[in-house]
């Protein structure tokens, strides 16, 4: 079978994420995404901004294959996500680290175990876990708190644990859906700086955020969504004021 040229291009070595005319409708209401095309290069840092309900989280779910598109195609790290066999999905998801606004830590486990959990489910040998977890905890600045329970940590520290857990399996992509939504301005800045450091180490980073001050200061690529449509996509962009 001859592949269409456009498809080959979407899976070229420089492209890590591509949405090709993607729409997603839920059973009710207007489409959450409506003919969205986006291409992200390996190693990029991208902000995704837009009002609540504009389709940002839906986009993240499509990248993780938690949802399939109603129309169009989603490519992640060379895979046409919709065509992935069910049995290949867990391994595919390991290439992507995810962080959420509400941290999603195991409350009754300490910091070490929260991070180790991500390695245990993929059966990394204990010997390796004992090296990898302290290493990633020191990367996020929490090496000394490995015994603490989540409730003993500040919000910013809890988010660092979540980031460590997202990173411990060495994903190629880190997706963060409003990672600073529950944090004060100082902690928000620290988390964004950490995400920038992670990006500088080579991980492609996508950050959904409402934090206009940080978006404006960081001068990264900014994709703005509105009602399921990309209304702007700019290198070194800023937060578009609509109000
Ligand atoms: P954002 O993350 O930008 O706030 P979402 O992607 O969560 O936006 O939602 C986009 C639109 O899709 C909204 O109108 C929302 O109500 C709708 N939506 C999201 N999830 C579902 C769902 N599971 N079922 C029905 N509608 C949904
Ligand atoms: Mg959302």
């Amino acid at each position: 079978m001859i592949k269409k040229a456009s498809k080959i291009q979407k899976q070229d070595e420089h492209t890590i994420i591509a949405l090709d005319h993607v729409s997603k409708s839920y059973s009710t209401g207007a489409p959450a995404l409506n003919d969205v095309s986006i291409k992200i290069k390996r190693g990029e840092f991208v902000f995704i901004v837009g009002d609540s309900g504009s389709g940002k989280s839906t986009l993240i779910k499509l990248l993780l294959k938690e949802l399939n598109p109603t129309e169009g195609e989603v490519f992640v790290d060379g895979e046409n996500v919709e065509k992935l066999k069910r049995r290949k999905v867990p391994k595919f998801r390991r290439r992507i680290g995810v962080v959420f606004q509400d941290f999603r830590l195991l409350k009754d486990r300490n910091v070490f175990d929260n991070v180790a959990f991500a390695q245990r489910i993929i059966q990394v040998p204990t010997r390796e876990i004992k090296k990898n977890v302290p290493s990633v905890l020191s990367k996020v600045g929490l090496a000394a708190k490995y015994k603490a329970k989540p409730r003993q940590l500040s919000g910013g520290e809890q988010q660092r644990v979540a980031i460590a857990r997202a990173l411990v399996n060495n994903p190629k992509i880190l997706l963060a859906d409003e990672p600073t939504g529950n944090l004060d301005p100082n902690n928000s800045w620290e988390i964004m700086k950490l995400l920038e450091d992670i990006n500088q180490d080579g991980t492609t980073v996508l950050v959904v955020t409402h934090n206009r001050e940080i978006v404006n200061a960081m001068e990264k690529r900014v994709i703005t969504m509105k009602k399921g449509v990309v209304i702007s996509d700019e290198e070194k962009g800023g937060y578009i004021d609509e109000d």
Side-chain angles (χ1 to χ4, degrees):
M1 201 179 82
I2 299 165
K3 281 190 179 169
K4 278 194 277 177
S6 64
K7 289 195 178 163
I8 292 163
Q9 226 172 26
K10 263 162 241 136
Q11 301 192 73
D12 68 24
E13 57 184 317
H14 302 297
T15 304
I16 192 155
I17 290 170
L19 280 82
D20 184 29
H21 296 287
V22 169
S23 296
K24 173 67 196 176
S25 296
Y26 295 103
S27 50
T28 54
L33 293 176
N34 190 352
D35 197 20
V36 169
S37 294
I38 293 174
K39 217 163 151 174
I40 293 172
K41 291 196 283 286
R42 283 183 198 280
E44 270 196 283
F45 186 114
V46 182
F47 281 124
I48 299 178
V49 306
D51 295 341
S52 175
S54 58
K56 306 178 302 293
S57 295
T58 299
L59 172 61
I60 299 276
K61 287 176 184 152
L62 290 171
L63 299 178
L64 291 163
K65 197 175 164 64
E66 285 178 19
L67 296 171
N68 281 319
T70 311
E71 281 178 65
E73 290 179 317
V74 178
F75 296 86
V76 177
D77 197 24
E79 307 284 354
N80 182 333
V81 175
E82 193 171 12
K83 296 203 169 129
L84 268 179
K85 298 270 187 302
R86 191 184 298 258
R87 67 186 155 79
K88 294 204 164 167
V89 172
K91 203 162 183 183
F92 164 74
R93 289 203 179 120
R94 272 178 234 161
R95 300 189 220 168
I96 309 173
V98 202
V99 176
F100 301 95
Q101 175 170 2
D102 56 1
F103 320 137
R104 303 196 186 176
L105 300 176
L106 299 166
K107 290 187 170 48
D108 57 343
R109 306 282 182 90
N110 67 26
V111 166
F112 182 97
D113 285 334
N114 265 280
V115 178
F117 183 76
Q119 298 232 285
R120 290 188 182 121
I121 54 176
I122 61 165
Q123 282 146 17
V124 174
T126 304
R127 186 169 28 88
E128 298 288 317
I129 294 177
K130 283 183 176 160
K131 276 191 282 186
N132 296 341
V133 174
S135 157
V136 76
L137 284 177
S138 56
K139 193 179 287 180
V140 303
L142 278 181
K145 300 222 170 176
Y146 70 100
K147 278 186 174 167
K149 294 277 175 66
R151 72 183 132 74
Q152 297 170 311
L153 302 175
S154 71
E157 289 171 332
Q158 290 184 57
Q159 193 59 295
R160 286 167 183 278
V161 178
I163 291 172
R165 180 183 57 188
L167 285 182
V168 71
N169 294 334
N170 281 318
K172 293 187 184 169
I173 303 170
L174 183 62
L175 304 176
D177 194 351
E178 308 205 27
T180 65
N182 285 341
L183 304 180
D184 62 34
N186 277 339
N187 278 306
S188 296
W189 265 111
E190 303 221 320
I191 291 297
M192 289 294 190
K193 292 283 180 206
L194 177 58
L195 294 174
E196 191 175 37
D197 285 348
I198 291 161
N199 173 248
Q200 266 150 20
D201 291 343
T203 310
T204 304
V205 175
L206 247 75
V207 184
V208 171
T209 186
H210 280 115
N211 197 316
R212 69 183 62 218
E213 201 184 328
I214 290 180
V215 168
N216 288 339
M218 280 176 68
E219 302 191 321
K220 304 292 187 188
R221 179 176 171 191
V222 181
I223 295 174
T224 307
M225 316 262 318
K226 189 176 184 182
K227 294 184 179 163
V229 175
V230 173
I231 58 163
S232 116
D233 182 350
E234 295 195 37
E235 296 297 329
K236 299 192 178 184
Y239 206 104
I240 293 179
D241 261 309
E242 294 246 334
D243 343 299

